[in-house]
Amino acid sequence: MNITANPKQSSKRKHIYMWLMVLLTSTFLTISFIVPQSIMVNAFVTGPKIVFYLQMSILLLVTSVGLITNMIYIKAAKINLTDILIVVTLLYILIKQGLSQDDFFSDKLSNYICLTILYLILKTYVTTLNPKQLQQFVYYQILLTAVILLSSSLYGLFQLYDLVNPNDMFFKVTGQFKSPAPYANYLTALLPLTFATYLLYPQGSPHATIIKFISLSATLAGTLILPITYTRAAWFGTVAAALFIIFYKYQVFRFFTIRKTVFALGGLLFTGFLFLLALYHLKPKSADGRLLVWEISTDIIKQNTLTGIGYGNFESRYNTYQATYFAADNRDPQKIELADKVYYPYNIFIQIFTEQGIIGLALFIAILYSIFKQFYKNTFKVQSNAYFGVGVAASIIAIIICGQFSYPFDVLAVHIVFFINLALLSAFNDIEANQIHLKKFSKNFSLIIGILLFSGSITLFLKAKNKFNAYTTWKIYTNENQSSAKFSELYPSLKTDANFRAKYGKLLLDEKKYKEAISILGEANRYMSDPFICINLAEAYIAIKEYNKAEYFLILASNMIPNRLYSKYLLAKLYFNTKQIDKAKEVSQNILSTNPKIPSPAIKEMKDDIRRLIAHSSN
């Protein structure tokens, strides 16, 4: 849809509205900087999420007020295939969610709904701009993006030289994130735009010196810190995006016949293979771990091929499938050694396939195909802002390539960049498109949309306020004597947070409220398949003498991460205590023959206790 300024509106109001849109779009890129660790639990996840809801609330409010007051109104529509596919994808996810037994509005689904709305509003707005307004929008957008990238890169450089403390004791450079991987994903998403601007921004254009200088500074700073993250996927994505920009700069695409394209793709694939081989040897165990995750993910796909396991459910289901995989006999000892808790599939196509099935994967591929097909058609048209379109397209490519070995869609800041870039590229593709006129319905339609957006704004504001109060209160409770009574007050607000449910369930277990603990931990297990949740469930069932269920959860926990000993130790003790000696000795032998990666006094104590129990059972 095309939101058009009211003809009676002054040019000053148009300029103010454009500035609001530029600032709002840019602030979405800054959510990862807002991490209130001192007042909020799990601040690196919850902080940006709450800020995102607030930003979306403001965006919806600004747009709705403009529509309701007739400062802007919907006059015509520019709808392309990409728009239709994105809306259809959201509808498909909502229908799938509605038919499942999962809570309808999970946090991840709420994020996806907001991202789709962000796409529609931003794309709609940009297509309404006249050439002069579009040039101003692009200029300020690039300027602010370059400043954000420069700030993030300098933050990492300051950590490298010990001027700023890292956010995790195990990593020296994490930027504004908890670990290096999401930081590298974020840098990779922003670098292509500044590099394209420096390389392609027309000489002689207004402010060319300033914007090229800032873009070059941001690009150099990001390029300097990116290798220090040791995130190979981000390196690969950045190189791919840079090659795309250079190819455009020197018009390599013009000379591609079918034959030359085949040879070029073959050469790129071979070069990419050599590059990947070199990266593999940098961290071979990490790469082997990803291969194991992909192998087990194929089991999820085989069993849920058509519609998947549900949006955002990889984290809650994968480890259960991993347990089934390792429950089989004669598994490779090297794979057993690689096993660990897994929350991401380390490949966005596998993630979409497992969660949304072949339908969701086909829709996602169709979105990428439609938007790049139209971009390719427009590539050689003379456009004053073509450099911006190339940079945005390169950023999408960087995220997709990086996402073959990492998890950019599980980093909210990067997912936002992806949707913003989709919206901007779709808008640029639509510059020459025909409009579908809606003049007969413009006033009523504008009013209805305005009211809906205003309602959405209020809903998101209240959601953000509720989450903020709940997570800050939880933080206060962590510094006090914790009790299940305190956590029960927060349960309505945080019941979709698996970590909260796991903690709440453990408190109930410690207070010997076993049936309540089983209920809460069982719900937590639906949101996050975690061996420690299974262990706590087993302990609760042991307390109420339901040994078969306790056995089930201990076996499940043991197979989730078969190289860990604690769940096997508890299982062996359960068998000894219930006089199942043959089973006890079998599990005990497995424990005594396992040599953990990192020896510890606790492991020695467990093995000594097992030897004592074996000796006692033989008497």
Side-chain angles (χ1 to χ4, degrees):
M1 286 170 293
N2 188 346
I3 297 178
T4 306
N6 191 316
K8 298 179 181 179
Q9 181 186 2
S10 67
S11 59
K12 183 178 180 180
R13 285 187 176 183
K14 291 180 184 179
H15 192 70
I16 291 172
Y17 193 78
M18 187 199 73
W19 258 108
L20 279 173
M21 291 302 295
V22 170
L23 289 172
L24 284 171
T25 305
S26 299
T27 56
F28 282 111
L29 307 182
T30 66
I31 65 163
S32 58
F33 287 89
I34 304 170
V35 185
Q37 295 185 71
S38 60
I39 63 170
M40 191 176 292
V41 170
N42 198 14
F44 288 96
V45 175
T46 57
K49 179 170 59 180
I50 291 170
V51 173
F52 178 51
Y53 293 154
L54 283 175
Q55 290 170 334
M56 281 300 301
S57 175
I58 295 170
L59 177 64
L60 295 181
L61 180 64
V62 169
T63 307
S64 65
V65 169
L67 289 168
I68 292 170
T69 61
N70 204 30
M71 184 166 60
I72 55 176
Y73 65 92
I74 299 176
K75 179 181 178 182
K78 282 185 177 181
I79 301 173
N80 60 31
L81 181 58
T82 306
D83 303 336
I84 295 170
L85 289 168
I86 285 175
V87 172
V88 168
T89 300
L90 177 61
L91 292 175
Y92 165 69
I93 290 172
L94 291 174
I95 292 169
K96 165 69 176 171
Q97 191 78 359
L99 295 174
S100 72
Q101 296 180 346
D102 300 320
D103 286 346
F104 190 78
F105 283 112
S106 65
D107 286 346
K108 287 188 176 181
L109 181 57
S110 298
N111 292 346
Y112 194 85
I113 293 170
C114 288
L115 288 169
T116 303
I117 295 171
L118 173 61
Y119 167 90
L120 293 172
I121 291 177
L122 182 58
K123 189 262 178 176
T124 298
Y125 173 73
V126 173
T127 55
T128 69
L129 300 176
N130 62 41
K132 184 178 178 181
Q133 291 171 334
L134 182 62
Q135 192 169 8
Q136 289 178 331
F137 178 87
V138 166
Y139 173 77
Y140 291 122
Q141 193 63 56
I142 288 174
L143 198 62
L144 290 173
T145 301
V147 170
I148 292 167
L149 174 59
L150 182 61
S151 302
S152 180
S153 302
L154 289 175
Y155 193 4
L157 288 168
F158 289 162
Q159 289 175 335
L160 179 63
Y161 292 105
D162 298 319
L163 298 174
V164 176
N165 292 327
N167 296 316
D168 192 292
M169 62 182 294
F170 297 107
F171 304 106
K172 189 173 181 64
V173 175
T174 62
Q176 68 271 29
F177 294 86
K178 180 67 174 175
S179 62
Y183 180 45
N185 277 251
Y186 182 74
L187 295 176
T188 296
L190 297 184
L191 272 168
L193 184 58
T194 57
F195 180 58
T197 302
Y198 171 71
L199 207 61
L200 304 175
Y201 195 84
Q203 291 288 353
S205 298
H207 313 296
T209 303
I210 295 173
I211 199 165
K212 276 182 169 284
F213 174 76
I214 295 177
S215 297
L216 177 62
S217 301
T219 302
L220 289 176
T223 305
L224 283 172
I225 197 60
L226 186 61
I228 308 301
T229 63
Y230 286 95
T231 305
R232 298 154 297 174
W235 301 350
F236 201 46
T238 304
V239 170
L243 287 174
F244 177 81
I245 294 165
I246 292 168
F247 277 19
Y248 178 86
K249 166 72 173 177
Y250 296 104
Q251 302 291 289
V252 176
F253 300 116
R254 283 183 180 273
F255 308 106
F256 274 18
T257 62
I258 294 178
R259 185 177 179 182
K260 288 180 179 179
T261 301
V262 171
F263 278 114
L265 286 174
L268 285 173
L269 288 172
F270 181 70
T271 304
F273 172 75
L274 294 178
F275 186 54
L276 284 173
L277 195 62
L279 293 180
Y280 170 84
H281 287 290
L282 183 65
K283 289 182 181 179
K285 285 194 175 181
S286 173
D288 289 337
R290 280 164 169 73
L291 291 173
L292 176 61
V293 172
W294 296 346
E295 181 184 349
I296 296 172
S297 295
T298 60
D299 292 335
I300 304 177
I301 292 169
K302 287 175 184 176
Q303 297 178 36
N304 306 274
T305 306
L306 186 61
T307 59
I309 57 177
Y311 184 80
N313 282 341
F314 185 90
E315 178 181 354
S316 65
R317 306 285 174 82
Y318 172 84
N319 289 314
T320 302
Y321 280 89
Q322 181 164 282
T324 303
Y325 177 87
F326 283 114
D329 294 331
N330 301 320
R331 286 299 183 189
D332 187 343
Q334 291 184 341
K335 290 182 179 180
I336 290 175
E337 185 181 348
L338 290 169
D340 205 342
K341 283 193 294 185
V342 175
Y343 302 120
Y344 318 109
Y346 300 101
N347 182 288
I348 56 176
F349 290 108
I350 292 176
Q351 180 174 12
I352 293 169
F353 205 166
T354 56
E355 293 184 348
Q356 301 173 41
I358 197 168
I359 296 174
L361 180 63
L363 286 169
F364 182 71
I365 292 172
I367 288 169
L368 296 179
Y369 175 77
S370 66
I371 202 165
F372 277 100
K373 180 182 178 182
Q374 189 60 40
F375 171 77
Y376 185 78
K377 287 181 179 179
N378 296 335
T379 298
F380 303 112
K381 290 181 179 179
V382 179
Q383 296 178 11
S384 57
N385 299 305
Y387 66 92
F388 186 68
V390 173
V392 166
S395 177
I396 294 173
I397 289 171
I399 294 170
I400 294 297
I401 297 297
C402 178
Q404 301 315 296
F405 315 99
S406 191
Y407 48 93
F409 287 177
D410 286 290
V411 182
L412 181 58
V414 180
H415 211 179
I416 289 171
V417 174
F418 180 78
F419 267 83
I420 287 176
N421 287 337
L422 277 182
L424 294 173
L425 190 57
S426 179
F428 272 76
N429 289 343
D430 265 3
I431 289 174
E432 304 297 328
N434 294 323
Q435 295 186 17
I436 302 172
H437 291 282
L438 298 172
K439 288 183 179 180
K440 292 182 181 179
F441 310 102
S442 59
K443 289 185 179 180
N444 292 335
F445 195 53
S446 297
L447 181 61
I448 292 169
I449 296 297
I451 292 171
L452 289 174
L453 293 181
F454 183 78
S455 301
S457 174
I458 299 300
T459 301
L460 281 174
F461 175 78
L462 293 176
K463 184 180 180 72
K465 181 175 179 291
N466 188 32
K467 293 283 186 184
F468 178 81
N469 290 336
Y471 280 110
T472 51
T473 304
W474 184 7
K475 181 70 173 181
I476 293 171
Y477 289 167
T478 60
N479 298 323
E480 301 175 351
N481 291 326
Q482 299 184 48
S483 68
S484 62
K486 291 179 179 179
F487 273 61
S488 66
E489 298 171 3
L490 301 177
Y491 182 75
S493 299
L494 299 178
K495 62 182 180 180
T496 58
D497 188 313
N499 290 303
F500 172 81
R501 270 184 160 149
K503 182 65 177 175
Y504 182 24
K506 183 65 168 67
L507 285 172
L508 289 166
L509 179 64
D510 292 342
E511 294 172 5
K512 300 183 180 181
K513 299 176 181 178
Y514 300 119
K515 291 188 176 180
E516 292 178 58
I518 288 168
S519 175
I520 296 298
L521 289 168
E523 289 297 315
N525 196 47
R526 286 179 57 204
Y527 287 92
M528 182 171 63
S529 52
D530 185 285
F532 292 106
I533 293 176
C534 293
I535 288 169
N536 288 333
L537 275 166
E539 290 178 348
Y541 279 118
I542 289 171
I544 61 174
K545 296 182 170 52
E546 293 192 25
Y547 299 122
N548 288 338
K549 290 181 180 179
E551 178 188 18
Y552 168 79
F553 280 107
L554 286 174
I555 291 174
L556 184 63
S558 301
N559 288 326
M560 280 183 181
I561 313 179
N563 54 51
R564 305 283 175 85
L565 297 184
Y566 184 60
S567 55
K568 295 179 181 179
Y569 168 70
L570 294 178
L571 181 61
K573 287 187 69 175
L574 173 65
Y575 287 146
F576 278 118
N577 292 335
T578 55
K579 309 302 181 183
Q580 301 179 68
I581 304 302
D582 290 339
K583 287 184 177 181
K585 288 183 176 179
E586 182 181 350
V587 176
S588 298
Q589 186 58 42
N590 184 285
I591 292 171
L592 295 174
S593 63
T594 300
N595 295 315
K597 300 175 186 178
I598 304 174
S600 69
I603 291 172
K604 184 178 182 302
E605 287 179 16
M606 282 190 285
K607 288 191 173 185
D608 290 343
D609 193 29
I610 288 295
R611 292 187 185 98
R612 181 186 62 77
L613 289 169
I614 292 173
H616 184 267
S617 67
S618 300
N619 294 334

